[in-house]
Amino acid sequence: MRVFASDAHRAHFPAGEIYNGELVRPFECPERWDHIDDALTAAGMTERHDAAAVGVDRLAAVHDPAFVDFLTHAWDEWTAQGHDGDMIPTCFPARRMNQRIPADIDGRLGYFAFAAETSIMSGTWSAALAAASLANEAAVRTIADGEPSFALCRPPGHHASIDFFGGYCYLNNAAIAAETMLAEGAERVAVIDVDFHHGNGTQDIFWTRQDVFFGSVHGDPAHEFPHFSGYADEAGGGDGEGATVNRPLAPGTDASTWFAALDDLIDHAVGHGVDALVVSLGVDTYENDPISSFRLASADFAGIGERLAGLDVPTVYCMEGGYAVAEIGTNVVNVLRGHVGV
Amino acid sequence: MRVFASDAHRAHFPAGEIYNGELVRPFECPERWDHIDDALTAAGMTERHDAAAVGVDRLAAVHDPAFVDFLTHAWDEWTAQGHDGDMIPTCFPARRMNQRIPADIDGRLGYFAFAAETSIMSGTWSAALAAASLANEAAVRTIADGEPSFALCRPPGHHASIDFFGGYCYLNNAAIAAETMLAEGAERVAVIDVDFHHGNGTQDIFWTRQDVFFGSVHGDPAHEFPHFSGYADEAGGGDGEGATVNRPLAPGTDASTWFAALDDLIDHAVGHGVDALVVSLGVDTYENDPISSFRLASADFAGIGERLAGLDVPTVYCMEGGYAVAEIGTNVVNVLRGHVGV
C-alpha cells in the first residue's frame, strides 16, 4: 500500500463550525491527519509520496470551471471587501429563487455552497488543491503499476459537487481520482463510498455516466447529513441510469447489516464490469464517532479492505470523514491492512 | 394613523447572527422596536392597539401548511433531541439535490430555510405569530373604516416565502395583511415594498396572481441580499404575469433616483386598478444604515408617506427592516407623518 500525503493540509483549519447554534471547533481538524500519519508509521507504512499540482483541466472534468474559479479567488475577493473573518455562506438560492450567479462575493459564496457548517479561510484553496493532487497522483501511479494507493486527503472531498462545496469538502478528490484512472487507461471505474455520510457530490458528478459506477452505503438521508441526497431510489439519470446504487441504512445500524450492504455494492460493481476502483474511505461508521450513529468496531474495519481487495482491480483509497480522532488512525490502518492482507 | 403593537416581540432575540465569519449580536434587535415606539409617542401617536391571534387558515393562505407546522413545533423538536442552542440552519437542498422533506429536525431546518444568518429560538414562534396577528388586525380595521394603520411588526416578514424562512423573517406579515384585505372586501391589493432588500417572500407568494400587485424598489440582487431574487426581469408568472414589478437599483443610489423608482411603482399600482395598499416599510434605505448602501436622509422619508398617500386607498404599513437603531424611530415616524400630512 503506497501512501500519498502532504503537510499542505495544515493551511486549512477554519476558526469555527456551526453546531447546536454556536461556532465550535471544527470536527474536521488537523489532528485527524496526524493520528492517521502516526498509525501508518506504527504499522510499518513509513514512506510518504507527495504529488505535483493537479492540472486545471482535470479539475474541470469533474467541476464547473466557474466553481473552480470561485474557489481559487474567493479569499482574495473576500478580504478585498474588508472582511477578515472566515467565509461562512449564509444566503442560498432556494427553490423557485433566481439561479443567476450574483456579482458580489457574498452572493457567490452562497451560490457555490450547499451547507453553512463549512467555511473558506485563507489556506483552504491551497489545501484543497494539494488534497486533490494527492488523489490524482495516486490514481496515475496505481493505474501504471497496479499497486494500491492510499491518498491521505484533507480536506475530504465526497460532498463537493459539480458546483458547490459543503460538508467539509471543496474539491471532490475521489471523483478526480476516478477521472484520472479513466484518463490513464481504465475503461470503467467504480467509486465505492463507505463513509457514514452519503457522497452526494460524487453521485452528482457521475449521475449521467456509465463509465463510472457509484455505490454508497450510508446513514439514511431522512435522518442524517447531507439530508437531500442518498435515498435508495436515486439510481442515476439519463445515460447514467442504473450506474448509481444507494444503500441508506437506519441510525444505529450494526456491522453485519452494514457489511451485507457493502457486499451488495461490490456485487453491483462487479456486474458493471469495472476495471478500477476508487474508495471514498470514511471511518465515521465507527461506533464511537461523535457525529454519526453506526456501530462498527475497530476490528471490523479490516473487513472493508478485505472485501474491496476481492474486486481484484487497481485501487485508490481517498480519505474522507471520521471524527473519533484518537481512533481514526487505527481504523484507517485496519482497512488498508485488510486490503493488502497483513 | 392607528398603531398596532405588542410586547410579544421581546420573546424573540437569537443569541447570534453569522456575519464576517463570526456570530455577532443580531442587527435585528429588540431596541429597534423600542426606538420606534418612543418616536411614535413623541410624535403624539400614543395609542397602541393589540390583536387577537391570526387564524391558521389565514396563515395557510400565504404559507405552505407544512411550513407553518414546522415553525410551530420546531423548537420543541429541537430541544427534545438534546439541543439547547439556537436553531441555525446549516444544510440546504441545493440545485439537483433531492427535494424530499427529511424526517429529522436538522434536515427540515435546512429544508424550510434559505439563509443561515437567521435562527429560531424558544420565543421565535410566539413573536412571529404576534407580529402576523398585528398585520392581520390592522388590515381588518383599515378595510372596515378606511383609516390607515401601522403594524409595528417584529420580527419582520417580507423575506419569508411560501415555505422557507430567512433574512430575519418567519411569517410574511405584509402578505398576510394583503390576504386579509382581500378577505375583508378589497378586490385588488398592492403590496409596495420600500425596504432596501428585495421582498423575495412576498413576490414568491403572489407570483402567479393578479389580485395582488407586488412592486419593489431595492438594492440590485447582483450585489445585495437576498442575492437570488429581485432582478428587473422578474415580472410574475402564469396567471400573475405583469403583476410583479421590480426596480433594482445600484449600490449608493441617491434619493432622487430612488423616488423616481417609487413613483414608477405607484404608477404601475394605479394602472393595475388597486383598491387597497400594504406597504412593506423598511427604512434601511437610510444613508447611515450599517448593512445597506442607499442614501436617503431622514427628512426624505416623509416623501415616501406623501407619495403613497396619493394612491388614496385604505393603507396598512407593516414594519420590515432598518438597522440604524438610533434613527429608526425618526425615519419611521417621518414616513407615517408624511402619509397623514402632518
Side-chain angles (χ1 to χ4, degrees):
Chain A
M1 183 68 61
R2 193 165 31 204
V3 176
F4 292 81
S6 157
D7 246 8
H9 78 92
R10 294 195 199 285
H12 173 72
F13 187 40
E17 170 182 343
I18 300 169
Y19 184 77
N20 187 35
E22 297 177 302
L23 281 170
V24 302
R25 189 172 197 272
F27 290 97
E28 201 293 286
C29 58
E31 306 94 275
R32 297 176 62 247
W33 190 98
D34 294 329
H35 280 275
I36 298 168
D37 186 54
D38 288 349
L40 289 166
T41 299
M45 289 178 266
T46 55
E47 203 174 357
R48 300 289 177 271
H49 299 268
D50 202 346
V54 62
V56 166
D57 56 328
R58 185 58 41 80
L59 301 182
V62 303
H63 292 293
D64 181 342
F67 173 62
V68 175
D69 184 72
F70 161 78
L71 287 176
T72 308
H73 302 293
W75 182 254
D76 288 345
E77 290 186 52
W78 177 252
T79 53
Q81 297 225 340
H83 290 295
D84 54 3
D86 289 350
M87 303 177 71
I88 303 180
T90 53
C91 184
F92 300 82
R95 51 194 172 275
R96 301 184 306 275
M97 292 184 91
N98 201 314
Q99 300 295 313
R100 204 169 292 173
I101 302 177
D104 75 313
I105 187 63
D106 293 81
R108 275 183 293 135
L109 179 57
Y111 180 86
F112 288 119
F114 81 100
E117 87 291 278
T118 299
S119 40
I120 292 173
M121 62 173 293
S122 55
T124 298
W125 172 243
S126 64
L129 192 63
S133 299
L134 296 173
N136 174 66
E137 190 85 24
V140 170
R141 296 284 295 278
T142 288
I143 287 293
D145 64 13
E147 187 185 338
S149 297
F150 171 57
L152 179 34
C153 299
R154 180 179 178 271
H158 71 146
H159 296 304
S161 188
I162 295 170
D163 56 1
F164 48 82
F165 72 93
Y168 315 145
C169 301
Y170 307 89
L171 293 171
N172 195 312
N173 308 309
I176 289 162
E179 200 64 49
T180 296
M181 289 177 118
L182 291 170
E184 298 291 319
E187 296 195 344
R188 285 204 155 192
V189 181
V191 180
I192 294 185
D193 190 322
V194 299
D195 188 280
F196 174 77
H197 303 98
H198 183 246
N200 62 287
T202 317
Q203 171 172 300
D204 188 36
I205 288 166
F206 297 120
W207 184 250
T208 60
R209 289 168 55 171
Q210 287 290 340
D211 58 347
V212 181
F213 168 85
F214 176 70
S216 179
V217 49
H218 51 267
D220 186 340
H223 299 282
E224 304 287 357
F225 186 92
H227 302 298
F228 309 105
S229 190
Y231 286 94
D233 58 3
E234 296 170 17
D239 291 343
E241 219 163 303
T244 291
V245 175
N246 283 299
R247 291 292 175 262
L249 299 176
T253 289
D254 64 15
S256 69
T257 304
W258 190 89
F259 275 106
L262 176 62
D263 289 339
D264 182 29
L265 294 179
I266 291 170
D267 287 346
H268 274 89
V270 170
H272 205 73
V274 301
D275 59 359
L277 171 65
V278 176
V279 182
S280 266
L281 178 59
V283 294
D284 39 7
T285 48
Y286 177 53
E287 57 191 350
N288 295 325
D289 192 90
I291 55 174
S292 310
S293 71
F294 286 172
R295 301 196 342 243
L296 271 65
S298 278
D300 292 326
F301 284 92
I304 299 175
E306 285 163 17
R307 281 165 163 85
L308 292 169
L311 266 166
D312 199 23
V313 294
T315 300
V316 171
Y317 287 84
C318 292
M319 192 65 211
E320 303 286 3
Y323 309 100
V325 174
E327 299 92 342
I328 190 173
T330 301
N331 294 341
V332 167
V333 163
N334 285 353
V335 174
L336 303 181
R337 278 177 147 169
H339 187 100
V340 295
V342 294
Chain B
M1 183 68 62
R2 194 165 31 205
V3 176
F4 292 81
S6 156
D7 246 7
H9 78 93
R10 293 196 199 285
H12 172 72
F13 187 40
E17 170 182 343
I18 300 170
Y19 184 77
N20 187 36
E22 298 177 301
L23 281 169
V24 302
R25 189 174 198 272
F27 290 97
E28 201 292 286
C29 59
E31 306 94 276
R32 297 175 62 248
W33 191 97
D34 294 329
H35 280 274
I36 297 168
D37 186 54
D38 289 349
L40 290 165
T41 300
M45 289 179 267
T46 54
E47 203 174 356
R48 299 289 177 271
H49 299 268
D50 202 347
V54 62
V56 166
D57 56 328
R58 186 57 41 80
L59 301 181
V62 303
H63 292 293
D64 181 341
F67 174 62
V68 175
D69 184 71
F70 162 77
L71 287 176
T72 308
H73 301 293
W75 183 255
D76 287 345
E77 289 186 52
W78 178 252
T79 53
Q81 296 224 340
H83 290 296
D84 55 3
D86 290 350
M87 303 177 71
I88 303 180
T90 52
C91 184
F92 300 83
R95 51 194 172 276
R96 301 184 306 274
M97 291 184 91
N98 200 314
Q99 300 294 313
R100 204 169 292 173
I101 302 177
D104 75 312
I105 187 64
D106 294 81
R108 275 184 294 136
L109 178 57
Y111 180 86
F112 288 120
F114 82 99
E117 87 291 279
T118 299
S119 41
I120 292 173
M121 62 173 293
S122 55
T124 298
W125 173 242
S126 64
L129 192 63
S133 299
L134 296 173
N136 174 66
E137 190 85 23
V140 170
R141 296 286 294 279
T142 288
I143 287 292
D145 65 13
E147 186 184 338
S149 297
F150 171 56
L152 180 33
C153 300
R154 178 178 181 273
H158 72 146
H159 296 305
S161 188
I162 295 170
D163 57 0
F164 48 82
F165 72 93
Y168 315 144
C169 301
Y170 306 88
L171 293 171
N172 195 312
N173 309 308
I176 289 162
E179 201 64 50
T180 296
M181 288 177 118
L182 291 170
E184 297 292 319
E187 295 195 346
R188 285 205 155 193
V189 181
V191 180
I192 294 185
D193 190 322
V194 298
D195 189 279
F196 175 78
H197 303 98
H198 183 246
N200 62 287
T202 318
Q203 170 172 300
D204 187 37
I205 288 167
F206 297 120
W207 184 250
T208 60
R209 289 168 56 171
Q210 287 290 339
D211 58 347
V212 181
F213 168 85
F214 177 70
S216 179
V217 48
H218 52 267
D220 186 339
H223 300 281
E224 304 286 358
F225 186 91
H227 303 297
F228 309 105
S229 190
Y231 286 94
D233 58 3
E234 297 170 17
D239 291 343
E241 219 163 303
T244 292
V245 175
N246 283 299
R247 291 292 175 260
L249 299 175
T253 289
D254 64 14
S256 69
T257 304
W258 190 88
F259 274 106
L262 177 61
D263 289 339
D264 182 29
L265 294 180
I266 291 171
D267 288 347
H268 273 89
V270 170
H272 204 74
V274 301
D275 59 359
L277 171 65
V278 176
V279 182
S280 267
L281 178 57
V283 294
D284 39 7
T285 48
Y286 177 53
E287 58 191 350
N288 295 325
D289 192 272
I291 56 175
S292 309
S293 71
F294 286 171
R295 298 189 352 235
L296 270 65
S298 278
D300 292 326
F301 283 92
I304 299 175
E306 285 163 17
R307 282 166 163 85
L308 292 169
L311 266 166
D312 199 22
V313 293
T315 300
V316 171
Y317 286 85
C318 291
M319 192 64 211
E320 302 285 3
Y323 309 100
V325 174
E327 298 93 342
I328 190 173
T330 301
N331 294 340
V332 167
V333 163
N334 284 352
V335 173
L336 303 181
R337 278 177 147 169
H339 188 99
V340 296
V342 294

